[in-house]
Structure formats: C-alpha cells, structure tokens
Amino acid sequence: MTALITITLPDGSSRQVEPGTTPADIAASIGPGLAKAALAARVDGTLVDITLPLERDASLALVTARDEADALELARHDYAHVLAEAVQALWPDTQITFGPSTEDGFYYDFAPSAARGPFTEDDLPVIEDKMRSIIAADKPLRREVVARDDLVAKWRAAGETFKAEWAAELPDGEELTIYWSGDNWSDMCRGPHLASTGKLDAQAFKLMRVSGAYWRGDQKNAQLSRIYGTGWLNKKQLDAHLTRLEEAAKRDHRKLGAEMNLFHLQAEAHGSVFWHPKGYIIYRELEAYMRRAIDGAGYREVKTPQVMDARQWEQSGHWGKYRENMFVIPDEAPNTEDEGPIISGDADWMALKPMNCPAHVLIFRQGIKSYRDLPLRLYENGCCHRNEPHGALHGLMRVRQFTQDDAHIFCREDQIVEEVRAFCALADRIYQDFGFTYSIKLALRPEKRFGTEEMWDKAEAELRAAVAAAGLNSAEHGWEELPGEGAFYAPKLEWHLTDAIGRTWQVGTIQSDRVLPDRLDAAYVAEDGDKHRPVMLHRAIFGSYERFIGILIEHYAGKLPLWLAPVQAVVATIVSDADDYAQVVVERLKAAGIRTEIDPRNEKINYKVREHSLAKVPNLLVVGKREAEEGKVALRILGADQPQQIMTLDEAVAALAQQALPPDMR
C-alpha cells in the first residue's frame, strides 16, 4: 500500500492524500465553489499549476482571484501565450521568441517572415479576435517535461531557430518544460499557468501597441516585432486601467513640458535635457528648497569632478560591476589629421562619473578624521552620466545625464540608527511638502554582492531598527521587505511615492554601506586611538532633479504649486486705457517676489483667460478702466470654483506674496 502524504492548509488543518493528488483535487474535496474558483496553488510558498501532482508532504495554499497579485501574474502570463498562439494561427510562418508578463499586462516578441514583414497596429484587431476565439475554446493548458536534446530537436524541426538557440544554451540538469494549449500548439515555459484558456476573461484584455525589439536585447541581433497588451481579471479592471491611461496621457510630462515651454530633448544629445527658461525656474526652485533642507539638517555641500581615472573606478568596484553603463574616455588628445584612427587605443581610460560616492570618499580621506568629526554629512547636486540604451530613454524619467540630490553620511557604528532615523524624518517632511503619500521598502541583499554575510546581516538589521525608531515600519506606511533588490554593495531603504492617479514612483533611498569605505581605504581615528572604518550611508530624496520634475508635472497635471510655477501671475488688460495701470500692478507684484508677466494684447478677455488657463498660469489679474480708477484687480485663480474675486491691489499683492512662499518658509 502506498504511503500517504500530508498536505497542510493555511488554517493549520491537514489532509492525508495519495501521492499524485493535485491541488485541484484538494480544492474539489473542500467544496465545489472552491474547485471552480481555484486558479493555481502555492506549494511550500512556490506558485504552481493547479494540476501539478503533489509527491511529498507540503504546505498548500489555493490561489483564487482574491489573491490578486498572483492571479494577475498568472492571467497576464497566459494572455501572452494566447497572443503567441493567435499570431501563429494567423501567420504560420512567424517564429516565436519570448513573452513575459509586465506590471500591467504582457508582451511577446515575434520574428515575422520576410514576406509578411513587421507587425503594425493595424494587425491588432484581427489578433484580438483570434485570441478571443482561443479563450472561448477553453483549451486545456498542459505541462510536459522534455529532455533538452529533444526540445532543441523539436524547435529545429518546427523552424523555430530562436527557441532552438535558447534551449541549447540552458544548463545541464535544469528541468525543461513546455506547455501545450490543447494538442496543437505549445511553447517553452517554466510556468505556472491556469488550467485552461477559458479561465481567462475574453473581455479583460486589450492589445495596445507594436514596437521594434532585438533578440536578447542586443542591437547586433535580429530585429523582432514586439506586441504589447494589457490584461486583467475582468472587464471592470480593464476599463479602470484604460481610464487611468487616458488620464496619464493628459498628464504626460513630455506633452505638458512642450505646451508649457519647459524643456525639450533632441537626437543631438540623446537622453540629455535642454532646459528652457521657464523649466529651469522649476529646477532652481527645487535646488534652493533642497539646499535649505540640507543646510538645516547639518550637511556640507561639495562639488566633485565629472571625469575620473578608470583605476579609481576599478578600486571602487564600479569598473567591473557597472562599466557597461559608463561613458569611458581615452586619456589622450584625439588625432586631428584626416588619415588614421581618431584615438590610438593605447591611452589609459577615464570615465564620466555615473555616481558621486567614490569622489565623496576621496574628500573624506583628505586629512585625518577623528571620531569627534563624525557624523560627516557631504551633499552634492551631482551631475552624473549613465550610458542607458537609446530604446530605454523616456523623457525626463529615464535620461543619460541627470543631477542627483546626493549625499553621503560618514558615521560610526553607534550612529547609524540615529542617522537613518533622522533621514527618514527629513524625507517624510519633504514628501509631505510636495503633497505625496508614500510607502517605504527595505531592499535586501542581491545574489551578486560584495561583503560578508555577517556584514549584510548587520546592515539590514540596522535599517530595520532605524525605520522602527522613526515609526514607519507599519502597514500604514506600506512597510515591506524586498528580497534580492538591494545594491551590490549595500541593502537600502526605498521610498515609493503615490501620485494623484494612484501610480507609484520609487524616488528616495538610503543605503548602509561598509564595502566602499573598505575598498577605498577610508578611516578615522577612534576613541581608542586606532584606525576604524566609517560606515557610509548613501542617500537621496528626489533621486534626480530631472525625474522628480517629471513626476511633479504629471502629479499636478502641470498645475504646479504656486511657489514652483514658472509664471505665478499674469496681468491681463481688458482695454488699452488700463495698460499703464497694468504695468503698475506688474511692478508691485514683482517687487513682492512674484514671477509676473503682462498681457496687454488687443484681444478679448475671454480669449486671454482661456489661453493662460491652458498654459497653467495659477493667477490671472484682470484690469480694466474701472479697476484702474479704483486701484483694484479682478483675481482669477486657476481651478477655483469662484470665477473671480475683486480686491484692492494691496490685498492681492499681500495674498499672493504669502501663497507664493515655498512650504518650508511659510
């Protein structure tokens, strides 16, 4: 008689079952409702197919649509497979590659035949129809383990050269699986998947766009067609997502940046921002705000070189771990003759700094430091360059040249928790000043890292203790630990801001680092007279000015808080008789520190009101003959319920001057 295995359920109860019993069998034994609702299972914490046979004692949690994160991951993975099946059903000569789930959907990369040519958005409706027919067919999704040689042979026989190449490179001993959709289509995949295509909602997905991609992300390889889709558990979720996308499109910082004449980007400087005068006002206001914040928190501002010798980057570890993202420069004068190569290839290498931390260590090392000098907080509005792929660049959000609100705190072991706690309090105040709520996460050690296990244990524990001391380790603040997400040299705390339409943005961070001070030989003289390594806390609040400005533009839909608005007020005339008085109003506002423009054009006032509203001007002061005679203005506030307020010029100047103060100066 076969020995039974013990399956432990989340409520602590257990069941004795035959080996080979599936999670679906257990769901059915509990009740028909659960049998219908169960989509997959977690076995000892690992997400698996609902039909996977259980062969040993294990804990089991059944996954239903209420487990939304898991359910969405499964559904989106399945939508990607259904997309691939649909494309090959419509165009059999198309080769498939890979198609993962994404944050809000899925995509799949295809290699269409030369005769077919790349896919276009005109193809999407017919593909969607075919996907819906595959879902309606309720085809069972079946897992099969395949030997590597057999799998390679299968793909080669089918003309799937990309799949064959990938399968041939998979490591020996790894279990290789394919998933069948019915009996007539399959794809190589680790899984898990839903039990059948019919578990998907045919009305809960939409194909969004088509783009180019490269096999394995390498521009030297074959170009592919990538089809993106969004997928959800039901139509209500899909509709809500499409509404959010519509709102996000209205708030797109690239669109608003052009309309408001804030900045532009162009091919002559890929990933670098051309700030226009109005956009640079926002930048300068943020810079001034942050300087006041860091001055008040005891930081000392520094400035470090843009270019440093490669040997410095080798010593810090960046040359080996990060070189592919660095702009490297030969340390020689280029050849100016028409003949011969521009550079010799014999020169030493230098690099534009991708980050500021090694340079701050070099400042720390100048002169002897005592334990009494610590903590030493060095701050820099540091301009950095990172060699991001062209295809990854995205407006202000992903650039090659950016400026960080970067600081490094050199401290003793006994100062770490208090320094991190103080930083948490500073970040909290700043994010509140900008109208954001946030969640805080602890990113733990990655697989590839420097340092000992003991070092990482200690660093992670210190960050936990600091967050607890700041009172932020609660569900209210979205406290969560993220395994494997830390930097290669340190664990880190991350601040994830939530914007006005519910999107999250990871911005602020603080990292506890014992590796870099050791690699770069930073030391201080301790109370015992011996040299000790300081701990280095890497920290930023905005992250980068460029990205933070992009986030602000989208969060406020261009209607920035008054203190950040490039133009805080426009004085518009109704008749030319008021031109002289309008100039007086402008001068009074400017004298009060309010950024003001005048609009004396011979246009109807309703036209002026509409134009300045579209330009997101916060305050419009309308003056006509009566206002000039009475020393008053008609104040229109952007977005206010009240159409306008009539007040004296003195009242208007006083009110706007107070409202235009930055939040830390009120």
Side-chain angles (χ1 to χ4, degrees):
M1 182 176 177
T2 305
L4 300 180
I5 59 174
T6 301
I7 302 301
T8 305
L9 301 177
D11 63 0
S13 65
S14 62
R15 295 185 174 230
Q16 304 288 314
V17 298
E18 295 278 351
T21 300
T22 68
D25 296 330
I26 294 174
S29 71
I30 295 172
L34 184 57
K36 184 177 180 180
L39 302 174
R42 283 198 172 273
V43 176
D44 292 335
T46 300
L47 192 64
V48 302
D49 298 333
I50 194 74
T51 55
L52 185 74
L54 302 169
E55 304 293 352
R56 55 179 173 78
D57 295 348
S59 64
L60 173 72
L62 295 166
V63 173
T64 70
R66 291 184 180 181
D67 305 296
E68 190 167 283
D70 283 342
L72 281 171
E73 175 73 19
L74 287 160
R76 288 165 179 165
H77 193 173
D78 281 21
Y79 280 125
H81 278 246
V82 171
L83 166 60
E85 182 178 356
V87 166
Q88 287 201 311
L90 293 165
W91 297 281
D93 290 339
T94 300
Q95 290 193 58
I96 55 176
T97 64
F98 291 100
S101 60
T102 63
E103 186 177 354
D104 58 10
F106 56 95
Y107 69 80
Y108 209 106
D109 288 344
F110 299 96
S113 67
R116 165 63 181 81
F119 292 111
T120 70
E121 294 190 5
D122 291 339
D123 297 315
L124 300 186
V126 68
I127 298 173
E128 284 185 348
D129 288 343
K130 189 62 179 177
M131 289 176 67
R132 291 192 174 96
S133 72
I134 292 169
I135 292 170
D138 195 19
K139 300 174 70 175
L141 299 175
R142 176 171 54 85
R143 179 177 184 268
E144 180 184 348
V145 178
V146 186
R148 186 175 65 171
D149 290 347
D150 292 343
L151 187 56
V152 172
K154 166 185 165 63
W155 294 130
R156 285 177 178 161
E160 298 282 3
T161 58
F162 298 97
K163 288 287 190 184
E165 176 186 324
W166 186 264
E169 295 178 8
L170 292 172
D172 289 332
E174 181 174 329
E175 183 177 73
L176 306 182
T177 55
I178 61 173
Y179 276 80
W180 287 92
S181 174
D183 295 317
N184 62 342
W185 189 86
S186 64
D187 195 1
M188 181 167 64
C189 182
R190 288 191 178 94
H193 283 278
L194 299 171
S196 69
T197 60
K199 291 287 187 180
L200 295 169
D201 185 336
Q203 304 305 317
F205 78 92
K206 181 176 177 58
L207 299 183
M208 304 298 291
R209 60 190 175 92
V210 177
S211 74
Y214 293 97
W215 171 236
R216 294 182 159 185
D218 189 335
Q219 296 180 14
K220 298 175 184 176
N221 291 338
Q223 188 162 15
L224 308 171
S225 281
R226 177 173 294 178
I227 299 178
Y228 287 93
T230 185
W232 301 84
L233 301 179
N234 53 59
K235 189 174 187 300
K236 182 179 179 182
Q237 288 182 341
L238 172 65
D239 290 343
H241 175 69
L242 295 177
T243 300
R244 284 194 299 271
L245 288 182
E246 189 177 326
E247 182 60 32
K250 295 176 189 174
R251 294 168 177 262
D252 190 318
H253 71 281
R254 296 166 299 178
K255 171 178 172 287
L256 292 173
E259 291 175 359
M260 297 169 68
N261 193 22
L262 302 180
F263 66 89
H264 81 275
L265 298 107
Q266 64 185 68
E268 285 75 7
H270 276 297
S272 299
V273 184
F274 292 82
W275 289 106
H276 299 188
K278 288 181 178 178
Y280 203 57
I281 286 173
I282 301 172
Y283 191 107
R284 289 177 59 195
E285 285 291 338
L286 289 178
E287 203 172 39
Y289 171 92
M290 186 55 75
R291 279 201 168 99
R292 292 191 298 273
I294 61 111
D295 286 348
Y299 290 78
R300 303 179 190 182
E301 188 167 0
V302 298
K303 196 70 177 173
T304 59
Q306 283 293 300
V307 180
M308 292 201 301
D309 192 287
R311 285 182 286 269
Q312 180 65 39
W313 299 110
E314 288 172 359
Q315 191 177 353
S316 70
H318 292 88
W319 194 255
K321 296 277 187 180
Y322 204 76
R323 186 169 67 244
E324 66 185 25
N325 298 110
M326 297 169 71
F327 287 99
V328 296
I329 308 165
D331 189 10
E332 67 176 0
N335 175 29
T336 58
E337 303 298 328
D338 292 337
E339 300 296 326
I342 296 175
I343 60 173
S344 68
D346 298 327
D348 291 336
W349 288 102
M350 305 185 78
L352 283 168
K353 64 177 178 181
M355 50 198 67
N356 304 296
C357 28
H360 288 193
V361 177
L362 297 183
I363 290 177
F364 178 87
R365 286 178 50 191
Q366 293 297 298
I368 298 172
K369 299 294 186 295
S370 162
Y371 68 95
R372 295 188 184 91
D373 298 322
L374 305 184
L376 177 61
R377 307 179 188 98
L378 299 181
Y379 175 87
E380 180 173 8
N381 286 317
C383 180
C384 298
H385 291 79
R386 293 182 185 172
N387 194 0
E388 302 281 2
H390 287 200
L393 301 175
H394 179 74
L396 300 178
M397 303 302 192
R398 188 100 179 250
V399 290
R400 286 177 153 184
Q401 177 186 295
F402 56 94
T403 299
Q404 295 178 310
D405 64 311
D406 201 10
H408 297 91
I409 303 169
F410 297 88
C411 62
R412 304 190 308 265
E413 295 275 347
D414 62 305
Q415 296 171 324
I416 295 170
V417 172
E418 174 54 27
E419 286 299 309
V420 176
R421 184 211 61 77
F423 174 76
C424 290
L426 178 64
D428 179 72
R429 175 171 65 79
I430 289 174
Y431 293 142
Q432 287 193 45
D433 279 350
F434 287 92
F436 288 112
T437 58
Y438 64 82
S439 58
I440 187 167
K441 319 287 185 187
L442 174 57
L444 303 172
R445 68 197 75 184
E447 185 177 342
K448 294 181 179 179
R449 57 185 180 269
F450 287 145
T452 65
E453 294 304 299
E454 181 184 8
M455 190 181 291
W456 279 87
D457 289 341
K458 192 170 186 180
E460 291 170 354
E462 287 160 348
L463 295 183
R464 286 190 191 96
V467 175
L472 300 175
N473 61 338
S474 64
E476 177 188 354
H477 292 94
W479 171 249
E480 184 181 1
E481 298 195 2
L482 307 175
E485 295 295 317
F488 67 85
Y489 52 85
K492 59 181 176 176
L493 294 176
E494 299 176 347
W495 277 257
H496 295 250
L497 306 188
T498 302
D499 71 11
I501 57 174
R503 298 172 300 179
T504 58
W505 306 89
Q506 196 264 300
V507 286
T509 181
I510 187 166
Q511 300 164 235
S512 169
D513 180 9
R514 290 171 170 83
V515 173
L516 199 60
D518 188 57
R519 291 181 70 92
L520 298 184
D521 196 28
Y524 69 92
V525 178
E527 194 169 5
D528 61 10
D530 291 336
K531 285 189 174 182
H532 291 250
R533 297 285 184 219
V535 176
M536 185 178 185
L537 303 177
H538 308 247
R539 47 113 294 174
I541 293 177
F542 291 161
S544 79
Y545 282 87
E546 288 77 5
R547 186 165 175 268
F548 196 72
I549 290 171
I551 292 169
L552 285 173
I553 292 169
E554 297 198 1
H555 177 59
Y556 287 106
K559 301 172 187 175
L560 294 166
L562 185 57
W563 70 281
L564 284 176
V567 178
Q568 295 171 319
V570 168
V571 180
T573 57
I574 300 174
V575 293
S576 59
D577 290 351
D579 285 359
D580 290 343
Y581 177 62
Q583 193 59 51
V584 171
V585 174
V586 168
E587 295 307 320
R588 284 286 306 279
L589 291 168
K590 285 185 175 180
I594 299 163
R595 295 185 287 273
T596 310
E597 294 180 352
I598 189 170
D599 185 355
R601 293 174 300 164
N602 185 25
E603 300 282 359
K604 291 182 178 180
I605 192 61
N606 286 342
Y607 176 84
K608 293 182 180 182
V609 169
R610 173 172 170 75
E611 187 176 77
H612 294 301
S613 296
L614 290 173
K616 308 294 189 283
V617 175
N619 297 289
L620 186 65
L621 289 81
V622 178
V623 295
K625 189 173 182 181
R626 177 183 296 177
E627 285 78 14
E629 291 171 350
E630 298 178 358
K632 294 183 176 179
V633 297
L635 177 62
R636 292 172 176 259
I637 300 173
L638 182 66
D641 295 332
Q642 190 176 352
Q644 66 181 26
Q645 306 170 55
I646 306 298
M647 59 181 66
T648 67
L649 177 56
D650 287 344
E651 290 170 337
V653 171
L656 293 181
Q658 179 62 30
Q659 294 166 20
L661 287 174
D664 61 316
M665 298 178 69
R666 290 173 194 157

